[in-house]
Amino acid sequence: MYGDDETIRRILTGSGDTWAVVGLSANRSRAAYGVAAVLQRFGKRVIPVHPKAETVHGEQGYASLADIPFAVDVVDVFVNSDLAGAVADEAVAKGAKAVWFQLGVIDEAAYERTRAAGLDMVMDHCPAIEIPRLG
């Protein structure tokens, strides 16, 4: 419902390869850690965004999207739904091309705002599932 194959394919193949992963820490038991590894295997540069600003998968982490000193193409969101809308708004302000809310992350108002701002957006999907599915 919030991610047709065309939009998913466009984000994965045409939006750019620098992905800020909000909620990514060095905690190997968290889903973000594994998904970020898959994104890297498929050629994406994964930038960790987490209050701890840890280096993860060889990339320097940042405490917020605003702290990243370069452009990001896609913002992949691994935070609770009640926090996700603010992250989507930050992605728009940062100049990202797309926002991706992970499985279980749903904020319909944020989806509408982000789309209205001209960004592609997928919600309640996982790129680690979609990349191999779309080939």
Side-chain angles (χ1 to χ4, degrees), residues 82-91 107 110 113:
D82 58 344
L83 303 174
V87 176
D89 296 339
E90 291 171 26
D107 182 331
R113 286 194 312 274

Side-chain angles (χ1 to χ4, degrees), residues 24-27 48-57 59-63:
L24 175 58
S25 72
N27 184 342
V49 180
H50 189 279
K52 293 180 181 178
E54 299 171 299
T55 297
V56 183
H57 297 307
E59 288 284 351
Q60 167 65 47
Y62 298 90

Side-chain angles (χ1 to χ4, degrees), residues 40-53:
Q40 279 190 323
R41 282 199 303 274
F42 281 90
K44 308 300 182 192
R45 180 179 182 197
V46 174
I47 310 304
V49 180
H50 189 279
K52 293 180 181 178

Side-chain angles (χ1 to χ4, degrees), residues 8 16 18 23 29 34 38 49 51 53 55 67 81 85 90-92 98 111 114 123 125:
I8 290 169
T18 302
S29 68
V38 171
V49 180
T55 297
D67 290 343
S81 296
E90 291 171 26
V92 171
Y111 181 87
T114 304
M123 186 164 68
H125 285 75

Side-chain angles (χ1 to χ4, degrees), residues 2-125:
Y2 292 103
D4 60 272
D5 283 353
E6 180 182 330
T7 302
I8 290 169
R9 188 180 316 278
R10 190 167 51 246
I11 292 172
L12 291 173
T13 63
S15 291
D17 290 333
T18 302
W19 285 51
V21 181
V22 179
L24 175 58
S25 72
N27 184 342
R28 294 171 180 263
S29 68
R30 303 292 298 188
Y33 190 90
V35 170
V38 171
L39 289 169
Q40 279 190 323
R41 282 199 303 274
F42 281 90
K44 308 300 182 192
R45 180 179 182 197
V46 174
I47 310 304
V49 180
H50 189 279
K52 293 180 181 178
E54 299 171 299
T55 297
V56 183
H57 297 307
E59 288 284 351
Q60 167 65 47
Y62 298 90
S64 71
L65 286 174
D67 290 343
I68 301 173
F70 48 84
V72 297
D73 301 310
V74 180
V75 176
D76 190 4
V77 181
F78 277 94
V79 300
N80 292 330
S81 296
D82 58 344
L83 303 174
V87 176
D89 296 339
E90 291 171 26
V92 171
K94 179 74 178 164
K97 298 173 188 153
V99 174
W100 191 299
F101 280 10
Q102 282 294 325
L103 288 171
V105 180
I106 299 170
D107 182 331
E108 293 179 5
Y111 181 87
E112 296 303 326
R113 286 194 312 274
T114 304
R115 296 294 305 239
L119 282 70
D120 278 329
M121 184 163 179
V122 171
M123 186 164 68
D124 195 27
H125 285 75

